[in-house]
Amino acid sequence: MNRFKTSKYKNTTPKIAKKDGWISNVRAGSFASQGNHIKANSKLVAFNTEHAGGGMVGLSSVKPGSDGKWTVGQISCHADVVTDLDFSPFDDGLLATCSADETVKLWRVCDPEEVQPSGPELTLCPGQGRLELVLFHPTSSGLLAVGATKAPLLLDTNRQDTPLAVLEQHSDLLQSLSWKQDGSLLASSCKDKMLRVFDPRAQLTPVQSAKALQNNKDSRILWVKDDQFLTTGFDMMRTREVRLWDSRKLNSSLGSASLGTSSGILMPLFDADTGLLTVAGMGDTAVDCFEVTATEPFLSHVSHCMTDASTRGVAAVPKLALDVMSCEVMRVLQLTDSCIVPISYHVPRKQSGQEFHADLYPDTVGRAPATSAEEWWQGDNKQVEKVSLNPDKRPKPKVAPANRTPAKKELASGGGSKEEPARGLSTSSSPLSTPSSSAAPSRSPSSTSGLSSGCPPSPSPSQSAKAIHSLLGPSSKFRHIQGTVMHRDTHITNLKGLNLTTPGECDGFCVNRQRVAVPLAISGGQIAIFELCQPGKLADTALPTIQNSVNVADFCWDPFDTHRLAVAGDDAKIRVWQVPDGGLVETLTEPEFIMQGHTEKIYSIKFHPLASGLLVSSSYDLTVRLWDLETGEQVSVLKGHQDQIFGMAWSPDGKLLATVCKDGKVRIYDPRKSTEPVQEGPGPEGHRGARVVWVCDGKYLLVSGFDSRSEREIYLFTADSLSSGSIANAPADVSPSTLIPFYDPDTSVVILTGKGDTRVYIFEVLPEAPYFLECSSFNSSEPHKGLAFLPKTECDVRDVEVARGLMLSKTTIEPVAFRVPRVKKEFFQDDVYPDTVVWWEPALTASAWLSGSNGQHRSISLKPKDMTPVSEAPKEVPVRKYLPSSVYLEEKTDEQKKDELLSAMVAKLGNMDDPLPQDSFEGVDEDEWDD
């Protein structure tokens, strides 16, 4: 601030909103990206939300609804992490997102309580790899600056084929971008410590550049006034600092301010009208405010605000949304783990709340674009017209048409259909419905509301049960299945360094009945092996691992050898490892053998269910290859796929192989007869991912995938006629992660969940309509990273346990038991436990299968010797607890009945000859009344 002129903003005071003014129901996560993780316009707030893969964006409003509460929703945007997002400065409903999936998407969003669009309005694929930053142009409509890993791009939304310009490649990671207020220049900061200023219309190389940053840690750049911009980053001593620069002279900074030592990057927000700068550190609980001036001291500290929770991101609310009558000059939204906290900056004035203080509010930029992207590219430098913040001079808001109704009401009244949740959006106030088959009749209690009309004779119990069954439809004996996390003594805890970003085709981890394999986020593709017989807390010291040499794409245990682990790597090779008895005691660096044949990275691998030493793999080279582990050689190459292969599954008899592909097809191969598919049919319409599994004795295929609106759904196909399409489907919810199915052939129950989910869906699959019977779902306390299941022999049949899985979280492996509630647990529930196949023993060798032989697993009973099947339990004679009143009434004469009735009435009323309570009260003498 000027030494001889006092600033009107020097006493600006921050005020944190009360908790009832916070936007709750938020679940923000920690994302490794260059964005601020939250953006706001005059009406809406968008932010990164923690979910599987990170492809979700949360959406809420700046102001609460009519009930004083905020609705928080989620939009499924990308197939990978959303790295940055930005609202258009000219359209409150236009949101741009970019992602690690290499795309930029523009979304037409509306109020969170209304129905959101099912897909993006526009998708741009610049073809420059992972995208880190997205930024709307400040004066032109339809123009975006996008930061790829090492190059800034300019995209015109009207030119979807190629970028408008690809600026000079940076030598390292691009960390930040910022437009000058007049839109003429673009500045960038980079991990190579360089600051660059581009004039994209004049040349693709920088017009100014200098190695100005002192540290290569994360940095931010932000244009402030005229030719000045500021940077936040770290100095040589790793102290966080803010520096102000003249874009024409980058050899030295104009001024700087130090903000202590911490690892979190400083995120700056600047208001050009007031010159106020707020700075918040990632992971900090403090927000600092400075005033930026064109003369010394350049950066003057105004305030220091302490918050209740750590910062995950910050955003500034536009000037047009501020409460100018209360002298609010700036509002910052702090994104925390569980809420969004508004922080208002006010200038103390005597007449605050009564009059407009024009000296605090110069005219600000308006909402109408000055030029189009094409006009700007041709050299037009028109500026956005400014508008007054004086409420008396603002245009009156247009009144909405009277016939407009909220989206929820439209759904409820349209065509007599039932209210549905918003497509593409799940709100905390209106959660998505649980999955149910579209072919199944409704089983809700309201469906029986017509039974009470009239008074028909009471049917017999059997007739009543049949009538209810016909009205409600069939029900599953597993409908009340309960998932329970087992006692902590069975957990493996203190896991560290887990790789939580395995490819979508990988299950995340794999188990057999003796041990579990978990990938680690350590260079060299290392895999940790834990023995299930040794639960407890792991030591803090380094563990022996399998060093795979390259990143792990997929891995699985040999079903017939609990010591053999096959691992597919990014180098298109399959390494087979042998784990010694008792587990790893030292790091393994040499595999048993290596198989090579694919020309590109492998998607997934699967062992044959009957033949020992037989493995199948799928790859980016669009082939499926069959391997004989006895010889280590490739024996067959299956072709016919046109795009990425999402999943594979062997039929229960081991004769056929099913695949589901990104080209929208489900295929069945007979590998011993042909390299081309023997059947082909339409699969899920969505292209995010899919899985396939054989069900109902191999007569049907169950596919989990996405529909055209990117909502998760499960489909059922007849294995004999794939070309006819799915015969049934059941919707699940909205999430970017693919549902991974586990099918139990003994109970015909399928259990599905996705990586990063908290909910586990359970269905019983039937070979006839309604095909899917919904059962109770299981919910974990926090998002899990995978769920894998143990052999049926590991289940406790005495407790009616039908499945046991292992749930992987960030730091633990927890056993989960799925039990069916039963009354007579002392008996063996043979209706739940048919004989199970011994799938952990091979039925034949790989060479025998390849020569045309077929095998079959033997079956065993799970019944303990000391238990009696419930079907053989002695029949209990029903005993009436109370005799009917007719028995007593028939034994008495009419006179006896009258006497009993009178006696009962007298007993209830009491004896009339008894004195009343007030008769015993002591009164006063007559002469006392005279006083």
Side-chain angles (χ1 to χ4, degrees):
M1 285 172 275
N2 193 294
R3 178 178 175 182
F4 302 104
K5 184 179 179 181
T6 303
S7 169
K8 62 176 72 77
Y9 303 106
K10 69 173 184 177
N11 294 320
T12 301
T13 305
K15 182 180 179 182
I16 300 176
K18 295 181 179 179
K19 288 194 175 182
D20 57 3
W22 296 4
I23 304 175
S24 55
N25 297 323
V26 170
R27 197 165 77 188
S30 300
F31 300 95
S33 64
Q34 305 302 313
N36 281 7
H37 309 311
I38 181 173
K39 287 291 174 69
N41 60 25
S42 299
K43 297 180 179 178
L44 301 173
V45 183
F47 54 92
N48 288 88
T49 184
E50 186 175 29
H51 211 279
M56 304 289 285
V57 167
L59 187 69
S60 189
S61 55
V62 173
K63 297 181 180 179
S66 57
D67 58 354
K69 298 180 180 179
W70 282 265
T71 298
V72 179
Q74 291 181 339
I75 305 176
S76 182
C77 291
H78 291 271
D80 210 329
V81 176
V82 176
T83 50
D84 198 14
L85 63 164
D86 193 25
F87 279 107
S88 168
F90 313 116
D91 187 345
D92 284 336
L94 190 60
L95 174 68
T97 60
C98 67
S99 169
D101 65 4
E102 306 181 8
T103 63
V104 176
K105 295 184 179 181
L106 270 67
W107 301 86
R108 177 61 58 184
V109 295
C110 54
D111 190 278
E113 293 184 353
E114 297 181 3
V115 177
Q116 301 293 329
S118 58
E121 192 170 79
L122 180 66
T123 300
L124 302 173
C125 303
Q128 297 290 322
R130 175 187 172 105
L131 303 178
E132 289 287 350
L133 302 163
V134 63
L135 195 63
F136 276 100
H137 193 271
T139 66
S140 304
S141 62
L143 185 61
L144 291 165
V146 175
T149 304
K150 292 186 178 181
L153 317 171
L154 296 187
L155 302 181
D156 182 355
T157 56
N158 294 321
R159 287 179 46 178
Q160 303 178 28
D161 48 353
T162 57
L164 189 64
V166 179
L167 305 183
E168 183 185 63
Q169 285 273 336
H170 294 40
S171 60
D172 212 324
L173 176 65
L174 179 62
Q175 294 177 331
S176 185
L177 287 174
S178 179
W179 283 107
K180 190 177 180 181
Q181 280 88 346
D182 63 8
S184 60
L185 301 176
L186 180 68
S188 72
S189 66
C190 181
K191 193 175 180 180
D192 61 7
K193 305 181 185 179
M194 295 284 290
L195 298 179
R196 297 173 174 87
V197 178
F198 292 89
D199 185 349
R201 294 176 292 184
Q203 60 190 54
L204 301 181
T205 56
V207 294
Q208 290 285 343
S209 64
K211 195 167 186 177
L213 301 176
Q214 300 183 38
N215 199 304
N216 64 358
K217 292 187 71 176
D218 204 356
S219 65
R220 295 286 188 272
I221 191 167
L222 184 63
W223 219 290
V224 287
K225 292 184 176 182
D226 300 326
D227 293 315
Q228 296 176 353
F229 61 77
L230 60 86
T231 60
T232 62
F234 299 82
D235 64 11
M236 290 183 292
M237 302 302 294
R238 296 191 175 183
T239 300
R240 295 188 302 186
E241 62 176 6
V242 180
R243 286 187 175 270
L244 187 67
W245 305 82
D246 187 334
S247 62
R248 299 162 296 183
K249 302 175 183 178
L250 297 180
N251 55 341
S252 63
S253 61
L254 299 175
S256 64
S258 178
L259 289 172
T261 56
S262 182
S263 59
I265 181 60
L266 293 172
M267 295 171 287
L269 302 172
F270 182 71
D271 176 27
D273 297 339
T274 61
L276 293 178
L277 166 73
T278 56
V279 181
M282 186 73 71
D284 288 2
T285 57
V287 180
D288 287 279
C289 181
F290 295 85
E291 184 175 4
V292 181
T293 57
T295 57
E296 291 186 355
F298 298 109
L299 293 170
S300 303
H301 195 267
V302 175
S303 67
H304 180 76
C305 177
M306 296 300 297
T307 60
D308 292 341
S310 299
T311 301
R312 295 299 180 191
V314 287
V317 176
K319 217 54 177 297
L320 291 170
L322 301 183
D323 183 6
V324 295
M325 297 304 293
S326 65
C327 297
E328 184 185 20
V329 294
M330 194 173 188
R331 190 187 306 166
V332 174
L333 299 180
Q334 180 203 24
L335 176 66
T336 68
D337 288 328
S338 59
C339 57
I340 297 174
V341 182
I343 305 173
S344 295
Y345 288 82
H346 293 261
V347 175
R349 289 290 175 95
K350 289 183 178 180
Q351 300 297 324
S352 176
Q354 300 178 12
E355 61 182 43
F356 175 72
H357 296 261
D359 60 320
L360 296 179
Y361 299 102
D363 289 352
T364 190
V365 290
R367 301 293 310 281
T371 64
S372 66
E374 184 178 355
E375 291 169 343
W376 177 84
W377 185 249
Q378 297 299 325
D380 195 336
N381 288 320
K382 289 181 182 177
Q383 296 300 299
V384 177
E385 292 186 4
K386 293 194 174 185
V387 296
S388 174
L389 291 173
N390 190 334
D392 296 335
K393 297 181 181 180
R394 291 194 205 179
K396 302 274 186 180
K398 295 182 179 179
V399 179
N403 60 353
R404 182 178 176 182
T405 57
K408 291 184 180 180
K409 292 183 179 179
E410 290 175 5
L411 285 174
S413 60
S417 61
K418 296 183 179 179
E419 181 178 340
E420 294 180 358
R423 295 292 185 186
L425 174 72
S426 61
T427 65
S428 58
S429 61
S430 174
L432 286 167
S433 58
T434 54
S436 59
S437 171
S438 59
S442 171
R443 298 191 297 275
S444 64
S446 61
S447 62
T448 64
S449 59
L451 293 176
S452 60
S453 60
C455 299
S458 299
S460 65
S462 60
Q463 290 174 336
S464 177
K466 290 179 180 179
I468 294 174
H469 185 275
S470 63
L471 284 168
L472 303 183
S475 60
S476 171
K477 70 178 74 172
F478 305 102
R479 63 187 179 277
H480 298 305
I481 190 170
Q482 298 172 352
T484 306
V485 177
M486 300 181 68
H487 194 272
R488 186 173 176 83
D489 291 346
T490 62
H491 299 186
I492 299 175
T493 60
N494 199 34
L495 301 182
K496 295 182 178 180
L498 299 186
N499 182 5
L500 304 177
T501 58
T502 52
E505 294 76 25
C506 176
D507 290 350
F509 75 122
C510 60
V511 303
N512 59 31
R513 62 180 182 273
Q514 291 184 358
R515 49 188 61 91
V516 56
V518 179
L520 301 179
I522 304 175
S523 60
Q526 299 190 36
I527 300 174
I529 306 295
F530 304 113
E531 300 296 308
L532 295 179
C533 62
Q534 300 173 7
K537 183 178 179 180
L538 298 174
D540 292 327
T541 56
L543 299 171
T545 61
I546 293 176
Q547 292 191 352
N548 198 57
S549 302
V550 296
N551 290 335
V552 175
D554 194 18
F555 56 109
C556 63
W557 291 105
D558 188 331
F560 313 122
D561 186 349
T562 57
H563 300 279
R564 175 182 280 182
L565 180 68
V567 182
D570 283 351
D571 59 354
K573 297 178 181 178
I574 300 174
R575 294 169 173 81
V576 180
W577 301 85
Q578 195 73 21
V579 178
D581 290 334
L584 293 180
V585 292
E586 60 181 3
T587 297
L588 296 184
T589 57
E590 292 297 328
E592 187 179 358
F593 57 89
I594 300 176
M595 299 183 294
Q596 186 173 5
H598 285 292
T599 58
E600 294 188 43
K601 176 183 172 181
I602 295 173
Y603 288 123
S604 59
I605 54 177
K606 289 282 187 296
F607 276 96
H608 194 276
L610 283 89
S612 61
L614 198 62
L615 184 74
V616 66
S617 62
S618 62
S619 167
Y620 276 80
D621 61 16
L622 305 185
T623 64
V624 175
R625 299 177 187 247
L626 207 60
W627 306 87
D628 185 354
L629 271 63
E630 295 175 0
T631 62
E633 298 294 331
Q634 170 185 304
V635 294
S636 181
V637 180
L638 308 182
K639 302 178 180 179
H641 296 93
Q642 306 299 320
D643 209 327
Q644 179 180 354
I645 304 165
F646 285 141
M648 305 179 295
W650 286 102
S651 61
D653 59 9
K655 297 178 181 179
L656 304 174
L657 179 71
T659 66
V660 58
C661 182
K662 191 176 181 180
D663 61 11
K665 300 288 185 181
V666 179
R667 296 175 174 87
I668 294 179
Y669 290 84
D670 188 340
R672 292 179 293 186
K673 294 182 179 179
S674 174
T675 59
E676 298 293 332
V678 295
Q679 278 201 74
E680 185 177 291
E685 297 179 15
H687 303 298
R688 289 193 168 185
R691 293 297 179 93
V692 60
V693 65
W694 296 76
V695 298
C696 300
D697 298 324
K699 297 177 182 178
Y700 297 92
L701 283 175
L702 185 145
V703 177
S704 64
F706 296 84
D707 63 13
S708 59
R709 297 177 296 274
S710 295
E711 296 181 4
R712 296 196 295 192
E713 200 155 357
I714 57 175
Y715 305 84
L716 196 66
F717 297 83
T718 304
D720 294 335
S721 57
L722 285 183
S723 58
S724 59
S726 63
I727 60 173
N729 64 296
D733 59 5
V734 179
S735 176
S737 62
T738 306
L739 287 171
I740 302 172
F742 164 76
Y743 178 71
D744 178 18
D746 297 344
T747 59
S748 196
V749 167
V750 62
I751 302 175
L752 308 100
T753 190
K755 289 185 284 186
D757 286 4
T758 57
R759 183 174 181 180
V760 178
Y761 295 97
I762 305 174
F763 291 89
E764 183 180 1
V765 186
L766 304 179
E768 66 274 339
Y771 298 106
F772 294 113
L773 295 181
E774 178 190 352
C775 304
S776 299
S777 58
F778 165 71
N779 291 280
S780 58
S781 57
E782 61 180 23
H784 52 259
K785 309 305 174 184
L787 185 64
F789 286 84
L790 298 170
K792 203 64 175 284
T793 52
E794 301 301 312
C795 296
D796 183 3
V797 297
R798 299 180 186 275
D799 205 15
V800 201
E801 185 180 324
V802 295
R804 180 177 295 186
L806 295 180
M807 185 170 63
L808 176 68
S809 68
K810 290 182 180 179
T811 58
T812 62
I813 298 175
E814 303 172 355
V816 180
F818 293 88
R819 302 183 178 99
V820 177
R822 287 293 172 96
V823 176
K824 301 178 181 179
K825 288 188 177 181
E826 66 273 15
F827 296 101
F828 176 70
Q829 310 294 319
D830 51 349
D831 61 324
V832 172
Y833 297 108
D835 289 352
T836 189
V837 295
V838 186
W839 55 263
W840 50 91
E841 294 180 0
L844 70 169
T845 63
S847 56
W849 185 86
L850 292 170
S851 63
S853 300
N854 293 312
Q856 185 176 359
H857 287 303
R858 67 184 181 90
S859 298
I860 59 171
S861 173
L862 296 174
K863 186 181 78 69
K865 294 181 179 179
D866 59 345
M867 292 187 74
T868 303
V870 71
S871 59
E872 300 176 9
K875 302 295 182 181
E876 293 183 0
V877 179
V879 178
R880 187 183 294 272
K881 191 172 183 180
Y882 301 103
L883 292 174
S885 59
S886 59
V887 175
Y888 300 100
L889 293 175
E890 289 175 358
E891 297 174 353
K892 299 175 183 179
T893 64
D894 292 340
E895 292 298 326
Q896 289 174 328
K897 295 176 187 176
K898 289 180 182 180
D899 292 340
E900 286 187 359
L901 182 59
L902 289 172
S903 299
M905 293 173 63
V906 171
K908 189 170 185 180
L909 294 173
N911 193 343
M912 300 299 292
D913 297 332
D914 292 340
L916 296 173
Q918 57 265 35
D919 292 341
S920 61
F921 293 167
E922 184 177 352
V924 296
D925 296 335
E926 290 294 333
D927 56 353
E928 293 184 17
W929 289 105
D930 298 334
D931 296 337

